[in-house]
């Protein structure tokens, strides 16, 4: 039997399961005008929810689209130093600096524009692909450890916390989450909305790290870990008792961010459609084939050599 440590080779934000569920559940947050169309394609949206993570194995520039190290620019929330708009941020810091510390809010905004264009063109394949991708990036922006440089507790000897917060806890408790939310609404200022999400993530990151540090004192040595069999491997994971206590210490934060992700994903999809002039959408279910580029990315993902930061961020 092979023994591997906690934090498997790529902890994906929200994990595979979490991202899939956010994209699927976002459909149920949509206003009626768009619900029918997205409901038809709910399986596609779920299945392709981690495509952006898969691209990290094929495209070096992909990694920085998933996070923003807010503490590179600011000590605390609010985010009032870093310019909200890309051109101004580039003028202040340069593109290389921005890319090396993450660009998630700007990328969400760019994806919103692309999705709007896809709606205008009524291009089904593009609409679905961009909707699935956009859902992923927005969900990432809601994860506190995607908003700070100490994203895996590597500066504070808390390695593994990244996967604990966004994968292990949702895997254990997502089934108990209340996934009914209010209907998503049109966003007058989508850029403000995504920046608010990132700012909330940044504000919460301190709690996420501090609570784990405090709780670890009550689980001395290796007591916070246990071993589970995954396939033919014995894997070290955070013990359920530790996860439960950690989740409770954050007072429902993981569930809250999960629900906010779902709703914001739906709000972005709806906003793109409204901004495109509310086009009629094809009512026939059409299978969407992978393009050659997507097939090549799938292959690289299977080969498993991640580009950029080794720990998903
Ligand atoms: Zn991601």
């Amino acid at each position: 039997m092979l023994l591997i440590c906690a934090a498997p080779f790529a902890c994906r934000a929200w994990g595979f399961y979490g991202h899939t569920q956010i994209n699927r559940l976002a459909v149920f947050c949509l206003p009626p005008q768009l619900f029918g169309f997205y409901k038809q394609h709910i399986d596609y949206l779920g299945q392709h929810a981690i495509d952006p993570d898969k691209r990290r194995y094929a495209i070096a520039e992909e990694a920085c689209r998933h996070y923003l190290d807010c503490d590179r620019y600011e000590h605390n929330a609010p985010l009032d130093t870093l310019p909200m708009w890309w051109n101004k941020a580039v003028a202040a810091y340069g593109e290389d600096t921005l890319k090396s510390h993450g660009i998630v809010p700007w990328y969400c905004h760019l994806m919103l524009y692309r999705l709007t264009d896809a709606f205008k063109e009524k291009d089904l394949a593009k609409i679905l692909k961009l909707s699935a991708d956009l859902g992923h990036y927005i969900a990432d922006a809601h994860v506190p450890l995607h908003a700070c440089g100490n994203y895996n507790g590597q500066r504070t000897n808390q390695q593994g916390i990244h996967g604990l917060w966004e994968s292990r806890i949702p895997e254990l408790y997502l089934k108990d989450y209340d996934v009914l939310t209010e209907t998503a609404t049109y966003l007058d200022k989508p850029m403000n909305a995504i920046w608010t999400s990132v700012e909330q993530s940044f504000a919460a990151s301190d709690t996420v790290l501090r609570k784990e540090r405090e709780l670890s004192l009550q689980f001395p040595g290796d007591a916070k870990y246990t071993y589970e069999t995954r396939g033919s491997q014995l894997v070290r994971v955070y013990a359920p008792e530790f996860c439960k206590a950690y989740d409770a210490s954050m007072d429902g934060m993981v569930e809250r961010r999960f629900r906010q992700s779902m709703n914001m994903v739906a709000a972005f999809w709806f906003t793109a459609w409204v901004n495109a002039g509310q086009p009629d959408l094809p009512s026939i279910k059409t299978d969407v084939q992978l393009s050659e580029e997507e097939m090549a990315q799938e292959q690289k993902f299977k080969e498993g050599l991640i580009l950029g930061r080794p720990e998903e961020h």
Side-chain angles (χ1 to χ4, degrees), residues 104-118:
V104 68
W106 296 295
Y107 205 70
C108 287
H109 203 242
L110 177 66
M111 296 295 283
L112 177 72
Y113 273 109
R114 288 186 183 163
L115 180 57
T116 305
D117 284 344

Side-chain angles (χ1 to χ4, degrees), residues 8 77 80 127:
D80 50 10
I127 292 169

Side-chain angles (χ1 to χ4, degrees), residues 218-267:
Q218 297 171 36
F219 289 76
D222 259 5
K224 66 180 177 182
Y225 300 110
T226 186
Y227 292 88
E228 281 182 2
T229 308
R230 301 261 170 100
S232 61
Q233 295 178 329
L234 192 60
V235 183
R236 189 175 78 155
V237 294
Y238 287 94
E241 313 82 69
F242 183 80
C243 295
K244 194 163 188 219
Y246 182 46
D247 192 31
S249 76
M250 290 182 288
D251 201 19
M253 185 205 291
V254 182
E255 179 176 2
R256 203 159 51 246
R257 296 307 276 163
F258 184 89
R259 288 162 52 83
Q260 287 166 342
S261 301
M262 286 162 38
N263 204 272
M264 186 68 79
V265 171

